[in-house]
Amino acid sequence: MMKEQMSIGEFSRIARVSPRTLRFYEEQGLLKPSYISDSGRRYYRPDDLIPLQQIIAYKYLGFSLKDIKAIMSGQAGDSNALLRSLRMQKQALEHKQQHIQQILKAIDHAAAVLEAEHRIDPQVISFLIHSIVTEQQQMEWMSDWFPESLIQRIKENFADESKERDWNMRSTLILQDLKQALHNHRPDSEKVQQLIEQFMDLANELMGDNWYFMNEYADQLENIELPAAIGTPFTEEEEKWFAEAFEYYSIKKGLFSDGHRESE
């Protein structure tokens, strides 16, 4: 039978928390002993287990000690306030869960690339990881600029994770080859243009063979600062070479109108 008055050591053994933790909760104003002797010894009653169990339960749910104190003191007895706190915490945990899932997916996809190609440029693999982790922010930014039909097509194509992994694998390896080729060949060389062709084929798989949006939005996009979520696998010098290679490819394929080419 539980004693009506227990020392901090006895209470800690029953509650399965350390005396140090109990002292910390006392310092934070979360759980005070029922009685403190003149010599400073702390004593607890069986009823003190109830608020301690509440603290432990809220900690399991991810609440900070500050939030727990607010729930247990200022909001005591207010079930609506507690319900709002629980719902807010659930939303925060779901957001954290989504972020962790994206990180795990990024690790999985990056590992698949490294298994296929051991000698991969660090900037290229970092670009892949960054792109997956910031996928949601990128889609939100694209939604502000591109047609809804295009955004929906990308989402549908990436709804199947195995399909997305395969696309990421192929695009990353092409970017790796393209990055190397730009250092050894002219932007208009056959080697670079073949890789641009492969890259654009992948873009067609993802977005569809609809190049009108590139012509329609190209000038606007050139004049805005891209968000941090939009990374690049290239150095600044490589970006210039890639732009030259892509311009040559676009003119050759007739992707841009005469008006766009004249403005260039």
Side-chain angles (χ1 to χ4, degrees), residues 53-115:
Q53 289 170 349
Q54 290 177 328
I55 294 169
I56 294 172
Y58 290 136
K59 282 191 66 181
Y60 278 138
L61 295 178
F63 283 101
S64 68
L65 292 181
K66 181 180 178 181
D67 291 335
I68 294 173
K69 184 177 181 180
I71 292 171
M72 295 180 63
S73 58
Q75 298 175 359
D78 186 348
S79 60
N80 288 330
L82 176 57
L83 180 59
R84 287 195 298 272
S85 296
L86 289 173
R87 285 175 173 168
M88 288 175 60
Q89 187 66 5
K90 181 183 178 182
Q91 290 179 348
L93 290 173
E94 286 174 343
H95 178 75
K96 185 181 294 185
Q97 182 184 40
Q98 291 171 1
H99 182 64
I100 292 173
Q101 287 175 339
Q102 285 300 110
I103 293 174
L104 290 174
K105 183 169 76 170
I107 292 172
D108 182 37
H109 290 205
V113 171
L114 291 170
E115 287 172 358

Side-chain angles (χ1 to χ4, degrees), residues 198-244:
Q198 293 175 34
F199 184 78
M200 300 314 290
D201 286 344
L202 277 176
N204 283 340
E205 283 185 32
L206 183 62
M207 303 178 186
D209 192 15
N210 298 310
W211 294 104
Y212 69 92
F213 72 88
M214 295 185 66
N215 187 17
E216 184 177 348
Y217 298 101
D219 292 335
Q220 297 180 53
L221 294 178
E222 286 176 359
N223 297 322
I224 68 169
E225 183 177 350
L226 296 178
I230 309 295
T232 175
F234 301 124
T235 63
E236 185 175 348
E237 186 176 31
E238 291 165 351
E239 285 275 9
K240 294 178 181 178
W241 295 337
F242 178 80
E244 291 177 19

